[in-house]
Amino acid sequence: MRLNRILIDTGEGNAEYLPNLLTAMKKYGCESIQEVLITHYHYDHTGGIDSLIKNFGPLKVSKKQPPIFDQRVEHKSDSACSSEAKNQPLIEVQKIEHGAVFKTDGATLTAIATPGHTEDHLSFWLEGMLLFF
């Protein structure tokens, strides 16, 4: 059976991230990434999107946008961005609303808006786990 999984956040895009992710996927029998959910727009959560797409091909990427967010995720922050990276196209993302449900092999996640750290911050509740407010 081919297992798909949802990846939450992508790290900063460090060179060691993708090999570590691939090792973990193999260890747990995961053969593909169904989609990527982003908790918020900071680069340390979105910076690995490029390497994932280069390795896996097109992926569905989703996040909650703040009111003026243009539905794209920047590859790198301006301060850390090379001129080459600045010229790369932005990645279109699907919008996640509070309460959206995501299903994958053996798991169901529900998006919970948790603004504070950033206006667009989301947490994801894994069905079957305790939830306290």
Side-chain angles (χ1 to χ4, degrees):
M1 173 164 74
R2 182 181 173 135
L3 291 177
N4 293 304
R5 294 289 186 244
I6 293 173
L7 179 65
I8 299 175
D9 289 340
T10 66
E12 295 179 351
N14 297 332
E16 63 274 4
Y17 176 76
L18 187 59
N20 287 337
L21 176 64
L22 294 172
T23 297
M25 288 174 65
K26 183 176 181 179
K27 179 179 179 179
Y28 294 103
C30 177
E31 296 180 15
S32 65
I33 295 175
Q34 174 181 316
E35 64 185 291
V36 178
L37 305 178
I38 302 294
T39 58
H40 64 289
Y41 70 87
H42 286 159
Y43 178 69
D44 57 332
H45 296 260
T46 62
I49 293 173
D50 283 344
S51 64
L52 289 174
I53 290 173
K54 285 177 186 168
N55 186 79
F56 294 102
L59 289 170
K60 180 179 178 186
V61 178
S62 303
K63 71 176 287 302
K64 180 182 189 312
Q65 291 86 12
I68 4 181
F69 192 72
D70 69 0
Q71 298 199 49
R72 297 181 292 181
V73 176
E74 296 284 353
H75 288 297
K76 298 190 183 224
S77 66
D78 285 340
S79 62
C81 189
S82 71
S83 60
E84 181 181 315
K86 284 182 184 178
N87 294 325
Q88 296 298 316
L90 299 176
I91 298 164
E92 297 293 329
V93 297
Q94 303 298 310
K95 186 173 183 177
I96 300 174
E97 297 290 345
H98 173 81
V101 175
F102 300 88
K103 294 180 183 232
T104 192
D105 297 330
T108 300
L109 300 169
T110 301
I112 301 171
T114 51
H117 178 61
T118 60
E119 184 179 349
D120 67 332
H121 198 278
L122 287 171
S123 295
F124 295 93
W125 173 60
L126 177 60
E127 187 175 296
M129 301 299 289
L130 294 177
L131 182 63
F132 298 98
F133 285 99

PDB file of all heavy atoms in Angstrom, residues 1 3 11 16 26 28 97 133:
ATOM      1  N   MET A   1       0.840  -1.191   0.000  1.00  0.00           N
ATOM      2  CA  MET A   1       0.000   0.000   0.000  1.00  0.00           C
ATOM      3  C   MET A   1       0.880   1.246   0.000  1.00  0.00           C
ATOM      4  O   MET A   1       1.836   1.341   0.751  1.00  0.00           O
ATOM      5  CB  MET A   1      -0.894   0.003   1.247  1.00  0.00           C
ATOM      6  CG  MET A   1      -1.656   1.289   1.374  1.00  0.00           C
ATOM      7  SD  MET A   1      -3.059   1.282   2.508  1.00  0.00           S
ATOM      8  CE  MET A   1      -2.313   1.302   4.086  1.00  0.00           C
ATOM      9  N   LEU A   3       1.554   4.905   1.013  1.00  0.00           N
ATOM     10  CA  LEU A   3       1.089   5.853   2.016  1.00  0.00           C
ATOM     11  C   LEU A   3       1.386   7.284   1.602  1.00  0.00           C
ATOM     12  O   LEU A   3       2.486   7.599   1.144  1.00  0.00           O
ATOM     13  CB  LEU A   3       1.768   5.576   3.362  1.00  0.00           C
ATOM     14  CG  LEU A   3       1.381   4.289   4.066  1.00  0.00           C
ATOM     15  CD1 LEU A   3       2.193   4.133   5.333  1.00  0.00           C
ATOM     16  CD2 LEU A   3      -0.098   4.264   4.373  1.00  0.00           C
ATOM     17  N   GLY A  11      10.287  24.117   7.103  1.00  0.00           N
ATOM     18  CA  GLY A  11      11.599  24.538   7.586  1.00  0.00           C
ATOM     19  C   GLY A  11      12.146  25.687   6.765  1.00  0.00           C
ATOM     20  O   GLY A  11      11.432  26.316   5.979  1.00  0.00           O
ATOM     21  N   GLU A  16      20.373  20.213   4.608  1.00  0.00           N
ATOM     22  CA  GLU A  16      20.176  18.908   5.257  1.00  0.00           C
ATOM     23  C   GLU A  16      18.702  18.550   5.447  1.00  0.00           C
ATOM     24  O   GLU A  16      18.366  17.408   5.758  1.00  0.00           O
ATOM     25  CB  GLU A  16      20.912  18.843   6.600  1.00  0.00           C
ATOM     26  CG  GLU A  16      20.437  19.822   7.638  1.00  0.00           C
ATOM     27  CD  GLU A  16      21.082  21.202   7.563  1.00  0.00           C
ATOM     28  OE1 GLU A  16      21.877  21.478   6.640  1.00  0.00           O
ATOM     29  OE2 GLU A  16      20.761  22.028   8.432  1.00  0.00           O
ATOM     30  N   LYS A  26      10.934   7.352   4.400  1.00  0.00           N
ATOM     31  CA  LYS A  26      11.234   5.949   4.111  1.00  0.00           C
ATOM     32  C   LYS A  26      11.063   5.100   5.366  1.00  0.00           C
ATOM     33  O   LYS A  26      10.467   4.014   5.320  1.00  0.00           O
ATOM     34  CB  LYS A  26      12.659   5.823   3.565  1.00  0.00           C
ATOM     35  CG  LYS A  26      13.021   4.419   3.172  1.00  0.00           C
ATOM     36  CD  LYS A  26      14.395   4.363   2.547  1.00  0.00           C
ATOM     37  CE  LYS A  26      14.720   2.928   2.151  1.00  0.00           C
ATOM     38  NZ  LYS A  26      16.026   2.836   1.517  1.00  0.00           N
ATOM     39  N   TYR A  28       9.124   5.462   7.861  1.00  0.00           N
ATOM     40  CA  TYR A  28       7.728   5.284   8.260  1.00  0.00           C
ATOM     41  C   TYR A  28       6.812   4.856   7.110  1.00  0.00           C
ATOM     42  O   TYR A  28       5.592   4.907   7.230  1.00  0.00           O
ATOM     43  CB  TYR A  28       7.217   6.556   8.942  1.00  0.00           C
ATOM     44  CG  TYR A  28       7.941   6.785  10.248  1.00  0.00           C
ATOM     45  CD1 TYR A  28       8.946   7.728  10.355  1.00  0.00           C
ATOM     46  CD2 TYR A  28       7.657   6.000  11.361  1.00  0.00           C
ATOM     47  CE1 TYR A  28       9.640   7.906  11.541  1.00  0.00           C
ATOM     48  CE2 TYR A  28       8.340   6.168  12.558  1.00  0.00           C
ATOM     49  CZ  TYR A  28       9.329   7.123  12.640  1.00  0.00           C
ATOM     50  OH  TYR A  28      10.017   7.288  13.813  1.00  0.00           O
ATOM     51  N   GLU A  97      -9.321  28.122   5.738  1.00  0.00           N
ATOM     52  CA  GLU A  97     -10.208  28.802   6.681  1.00  0.00           C
ATOM     53  C   GLU A  97     -10.223  28.025   7.994  1.00  0.00           C
ATOM     54  O   GLU A  97     -10.012  26.811   8.013  1.00  0.00           O
ATOM     55  CB  GLU A  97     -11.634  28.875   6.123  1.00  0.00           C
ATOM     56  CG  GLU A  97     -11.774  29.667   4.850  1.00  0.00           C
ATOM     57  CD  GLU A  97     -11.571  31.162   5.029  1.00  0.00           C
ATOM     58  OE1 GLU A  97     -11.597  31.651   6.182  1.00  0.00           O
ATOM     59  OE2 GLU A  97     -11.377  31.841   4.005  1.00  0.00           O
ATOM     60  N   PHE A 133      -9.351  24.226  25.435  1.00  0.00           N
ATOM     61  CA  PHE A 133      -9.370  25.671  25.176  1.00  0.00           C
ATOM     62  C   PHE A 133      -9.417  26.404  26.482  1.00  0.00           C
ATOM     63  O   PHE A 133     -10.000  26.029  27.431  1.00  0.00           O
ATOM     64  CB  PHE A 133     -10.583  26.069  24.324  1.00  0.00           C
ATOM     65  CG  PHE A 133     -10.423  25.683  22.882  1.00  0.00           C
ATOM     66  CD1 PHE A 133     -11.009  24.538  22.389  1.00  0.00           C
ATOM     67  CD2 PHE A 133      -9.673  26.454  22.030  1.00  0.00           C
ATOM     68  CE1 PHE A 133     -10.871  24.180  21.075  1.00  0.00           C
ATOM     69  CE2 PHE A 133      -9.535  26.107  20.708  1.00  0.00           C
ATOM     70  CZ  PHE A 133     -10.134  24.973  20.238  1.00  0.00           C
TER      71      PHE A 133
END
